[in-house]
Amino acid sequence: MSEDRPSTSKQLLQFSTELPSPQTKTSKNISPIKTLNPYQNKWTIKGRVTHKWPIKAYSTATKNGHVFIFDIVDCDGSEIRITCFDEIAKLHSNRVDIGSHYIISKGSIKEANARYNKLNSHLEITLSDTSILKCCTNEEQANQQTPPFTPIGELFQLTNNTLVDVIGLVLYAGDIIPIHRKDGSQTQKRVVKINDLSSSTIDINLWGPIAEQKGLEVKNMLTNDSVVILSLRNARVGYFNGKLVNITAATTLHINPSFLEANLLTLRGNDPLLVVPFVAETIHIDGKYSRMTISSICERMSIKPETIQTTLLAVLCYVNVNDQNFYYTTCPLMVNGRPCKKKCTQQADDSWFYSRCQMSMQDCNYSYLLPLKLQDAIGTLWGTAFDEGGNHLLHKTAR
């Protein structure tokens, strides 16, 4: 064995320096990202860059250097993060472009740090001076399948913090809203509402510079009656008065991209009969109360919280029936000629207990507790429609 060791070492050194030509790689040699493991030596992956960070300098107790990081996704929707250091970082930071496809091989695979890496992969790749990073030709990129977008209708069933890819037709873009964080810092938010081919609608929260720059671009395009398609990769599902989608540092946002779904949504946007319409309806209420605007209501409540009886002219721009918080169970009995409508609780034997009547029954009634959002010319206000208002708005009882 001692006589064989020098020749074996020489063969290994020779193998590591003789790199295969990228042109010899074919689609049969491409491995899905989800099949990678830290014990593989020979692998080749192909994917599209979804996000990249600017090259940064770092300093440790032993050395100073530079680091460059970018993320890719393959046609199966699997993602992985790729890191380059020092001279490799300087070499690739100008070569890698968001949206372009690359063939990558001969890097080292290791477990990802879940504290900093929120992708749907538990691995990450580090490139060295022997690694291959080859940009695909236009023909290869055209043939590369992109991972499908998640229909908006399915987002309401996902848990919070789930990473998703969504695309939709922009129906509305709000103004910049200043946000004060708990640590005392400030940021900006802009809400954009999109609708997709599933005829579902959801709010997108744009934050920071993207809210100011991209959000303003979207708003100006809508003002000019342009059809605007918005696609997001690696956005995060959240919840605040209903399901929504937040952009993060790893989110890639495109306005009017060249995807097939975008073309279909553009056709939808150009046909007013296919777009979800805003239905106007006048609700006649008792006019004995003085009329107020939303901003005057909010200003008065900020000075002294109180019950205000007022008349309000506004647009009902959102009703939340996406979860089970828009109704509650009530007593079905009549008290003094009127429905009781007091809350009831379900017991272990599936019967219902009514605390006001101190009795149990096998059935219950349902009443609305309907969250809704009102908007006038100068402000927005969240409100609640109880049973009578819910019956009028939805044209059916809560049951």
Side-chain angles (χ1 to χ4, degrees):
M1 292 178 62
S2 62
E3 293 177 353
D4 293 338
R5 289 187 66 178
S7 60
T8 304
S9 301
K10 184 176 180 180
Q11 290 175 1
L12 290 176
L13 180 61
Q14 182 180 6
F15 174 78
S16 64
T17 56
E18 293 178 356
L19 301 179
S21 173
Q23 286 78 7
T24 61
K25 296 291 182 181
T26 65
S27 59
K28 295 182 180 180
N29 302 118
I30 304 298
S31 301
I33 291 177
K34 62 183 178 181
T35 63
L36 297 179
N37 66 73
Y39 307 104
Q40 280 181 278
N41 293 323
K42 295 182 180 180
W43 51 266
T44 300
I45 58 175
K46 179 181 178 182
R48 177 177 52 84
V49 176
T50 58
H51 193 81
K52 75 171 187 176
W53 284 261
I55 186 171
K56 292 184 178 181
Y58 70 90
S59 177
T60 65
T62 58
K63 63 176 293 188
N64 298 327
H66 292 81
V67 61
F68 170 61
I69 301 173
F70 62 97
D71 299 334
I72 68 168
V73 61
D74 65 7
C75 60
D76 295 329
S78 301
E79 303 167 298
I80 198 164
R81 179 156 296 171
I82 299 176
T83 305
C84 310
F85 291 98
D86 302 331
E87 296 302 321
I88 307 301
K90 296 178 182 179
L91 174 65
H92 294 324
S93 61
N94 296 325
R95 295 180 55 195
V96 173
D97 296 318
I98 295 178
S100 297
H101 294 75
Y102 295 86
I103 293 176
I104 303 171
S105 63
K106 302 190 74 65
S108 60
I109 304 174
K110 65 176 183 178
E111 291 289 332
N113 188 337
R115 180 180 178 183
Y116 304 104
N117 191 338
K118 302 300 182 181
L119 299 183
N120 60 10
S121 173
H122 66 283
L123 301 173
E124 60 185 18
I125 296 174
T126 301
L127 300 184
S128 65
D129 55 354
T130 60
S131 301
I132 295 174
L133 177 66
K134 172 189 175 253
C135 184
C136 298
T137 63
N138 293 334
E139 181 179 356
E140 290 173 324
Q141 295 194 34
N143 295 331
Q144 173 77 4
Q145 295 181 349
T146 58
F149 292 96
T150 302
I152 294 177
E154 298 180 6
L155 299 181
F156 301 102
Q157 311 301 324
L158 301 179
T159 57
N160 292 344
N161 297 321
T162 302
L163 293 177
V164 293
D165 298 339
V166 294
I167 188 171
L169 172 69
V170 179
L171 302 178
Y172 163 83
D175 295 324
I176 284 286
I177 303 173
I179 301 295
H180 299 272
R181 294 193 178 103
K182 294 181 180 180
D183 60 2
S185 62
Q186 294 185 2
T187 187
Q188 294 177 320
K189 181 181 81 167
R190 190 191 300 268
V191 178
V192 175
K193 191 180 297 291
I194 65 171
N195 175 271
D196 69 355
L197 297 175
S198 67
S199 297
S200 300
T201 303
I202 199 167
D203 285 349
I204 308 293
N205 283 345
L206 307 181
W207 297 92
I210 293 183
E212 185 175 359
Q213 300 167 10
K214 295 286 189 179
L216 180 60
E217 182 180 351
V218 170
K219 188 175 181 65
N220 291 338
M221 293 174 69
L222 289 178
T223 303
N224 296 327
D225 295 328
S226 300
V227 175
V228 185
I229 309 300
L230 202 64
S231 71
L232 298 99
R233 297 284 188 182
N234 291 323
R236 192 181 304 277
V237 175
Y239 186 93
F240 182 77
N241 292 324
K243 284 288 186 182
L244 50 82
V245 174
N246 285 302
I247 65 166
T248 67
T251 302
T252 303
L253 183 149
H254 291 290
I255 300 174
N256 291 339
S258 58
F259 301 129
L260 173 62
E261 295 89 344
N263 297 334
L264 297 176
L265 286 167
T266 301
L267 294 176
R268 181 188 183 92
N270 286 323
D271 189 343
L273 297 178
L274 296 179
V275 180
V276 178
F278 289 100
V279 180
E281 180 182 0
T282 301
I283 301 176
H284 298 282
I285 60 176
D286 194 343
K288 65 182 180 181
Y289 301 121
S290 60
R291 177 178 167 186
M292 299 176 65
T293 63
I294 288 178
S295 62
S296 60
I297 294 174
C298 296
E299 182 179 359
R300 181 171 166 181
M301 293 292 288
S302 64
I303 299 174
K304 180 184 177 181
E306 58 179 325
T307 299
I308 301 175
Q309 294 180 323
T310 181
T311 298
L312 180 68
L313 177 63
V315 173
L316 179 64
C317 57
Y318 180 70
V319 179
N320 183 14
V321 290
N322 296 322
D323 50 39
Q324 296 183 350
N325 296 326
F326 69 92
Y327 67 89
Y328 63 99
T329 53
T330 61
C331 174
L333 300 179
M334 301 293 291
V335 178
N336 297 327
R338 299 180 61 182
C340 177
K341 290 191 175 181
K342 292 294 183 179
K343 287 185 178 181
C344 60
T345 56
Q346 191 171 20
Q347 303 182 108
D349 59 354
D350 290 336
S351 64
W352 298 89
F353 178 74
Y354 307 100
S355 57
R356 178 177 181 178
C357 306
Q358 291 295 309
M359 61 184 300
S360 298
M361 297 182 63
Q362 295 299 317
D363 194 14
C364 70
N365 208 345
Y366 297 85
S367 294
Y368 281 115
L369 192 68
L370 196 62
L372 47 85
K373 190 175 184 180
L374 303 171
Q375 178 176 333
D376 64 7
I378 53 177
T380 58
L381 182 70
W382 281 97
T384 303
F386 290 94
D387 201 46
E388 184 177 354
N391 291 336
H392 186 93
L393 292 174
L394 301 186
H395 304 289
K396 61 177 64 178
T397 65
R399 173 177 287 277

